[in-house]
Structures are given as C-alpha cells and as structure tokens.
Amino acid sequence: GKPVAPWAVALSSKGVSTALIGGRAKLANGALTVSATQGGLRATWNGSEAATLALSGPAVNLTRQTDGDMALAVTLRVAKAPAGPVMLGMGCGSDCQGAADISGMLRTAAPKNGRKSRDVPITVRLSCLRKAGADIRTVSSPLELTSRAALSLAIVSATLEPGEGPPTCPAPPQS
C-alpha cells in the first residue's frame, strides 16, 4: 500500500494538489480520495471534475527501458466502472504527459450481476506513452491515473516489465 522511496503518491485537480500522508488523502474539492490498504491503494473519483492520482518523485530517464521494449504494467481491481475516459500514463513535468485511454478495459472488468471484482492486468508499452507525448528522458511520474468520471478502484501493483507479443497501443486521449 505504500510506494518505495523516493516515490510518493500525489493527488491533483485544477492546479490543487495534496500528498498521501498517514495512509489517506483527499483533494479539497472532493474529486479524488485515496487510502492505503494492505492490498494496495484504494482510489475513488466522485466525477465532479478531472483529478489525477500520480506516483511522483525525481525525474528519471527511461530511454533505455523504452528502447528495450519495456512496459508499464499495472494491476487494478475495479469496484465501480467508469462512465467516461480513464487515462493511464506517465508525467514528465509541467504540461508533459503521455497517456492511453483504459476505460474500456476497466468497464469490462467491473463487477456486474453480483459478480465480484477481479484483478485486471493492464500493460502499456513505454514506446506507446512516448508516442502519446511523454518525454521518456524526464519522467517524474511513472504512473498517472486520471478520470473526470466517477470511478472506484484499487491499484494492486505497478511495475516496469518486459513487453510481450507485438506492441499494440491503447487508444490515445480524445481531444
């Protein structure tokens, strides 16, 4: 449930941000609430406005990992399906991000008809995030989840791992 130093969990919306301290954080506008659990981080977006959950820290250069066909691999447990786009990506400073829309994958995995939530592995190649706009040389947030829609999920794990199979990129953000 806690990131490894020097990484920290930050929440942001419309220029306002807060850090996960003591296992809980909530944006002042209520758009996003996060709590650390034994099984990861539980996050709830209320749908009032766009908000981002980010794992952030000092900028790192992921060029070697990108050229080596590595991928951002996250395992999410969806409690409430999103009603709109959910972006998974990386941040690289002010106005620098590469992201892919994973809302379709989350809707498919959401509990329906009494079915329990299940872990959903999602893998996005670093090359896809670079193509979507991330400056891979200056990644300060190797994991960003952004939603404007109501959504409830748990982040079970997040790692970099070798990409498998032919590289396919999820849909880029819609402008």
Side-chain angles (χ1 to χ4, degrees):
K2 292 184 180 181
V4 177
W7 305 103
V9 175
L11 290 61
S12 63
S13 176
K14 290 193 173 183
V16 176
S17 63
T18 189
L20 181 71
I21 299 172
R24 292 191 56 79
K26 182 177 182 177
L27 286 169
N29 63 13
L32 176 58
T33 303
V34 176
S35 60
T37 67
Q38 277 189 326
L41 290 175
R42 179 166 295 137
T44 302
W45 286 258
N46 71 9
S48 64
E49 58 188 65
T52 300
L53 181 156
L55 180 65
S56 57
V60 294
N61 185 339
L62 297 178
T63 301
R64 187 174 61 103
Q65 290 83 349
T66 304
D67 293 345
D69 206 26
M70 299 288 285
L72 171 60
V74 295
T75 300
L76 303 173
R77 186 174 303 130
V78 183
K80 178 181 178 185
V86 178
M87 307 309 297
L88 171 66
M90 289 185 167
C92 40
S94 182
D95 296 324
C96 179
Q97 181 194 46
D101 187 349
I102 61 167
S103 53
M105 291 178 251
L106 298 180
R107 279 192 283 280
T108 300
K112 295 178 197 109
N113 303 324
R115 187 180 77 191
K116 291 185 176 185
S117 59
R118 59 188 168 93
D119 291 357
V120 180
I122 298 174
T123 304
V124 180
R125 297 275 172 87
L126 299 183
S127 58
C128 295
L129 298 174
R130 176 172 53 195
K131 188 187 306 184
D135 182 347
I136 294 297
R137 299 167 301 172
T138 60
V139 174
S140 54
S141 296
L143 171 67
E144 291 186 347
L145 270 172
T146 302
S147 181
R148 180 171 293 134
L151 167 67
S152 181
L153 56 74
I155 301 171
V156 178
S157 68
T159 61
L160 289 181
E161 61 183 41
E164 293 184 10
T168 56
C169 299
Q174 299 298 312
S175 301

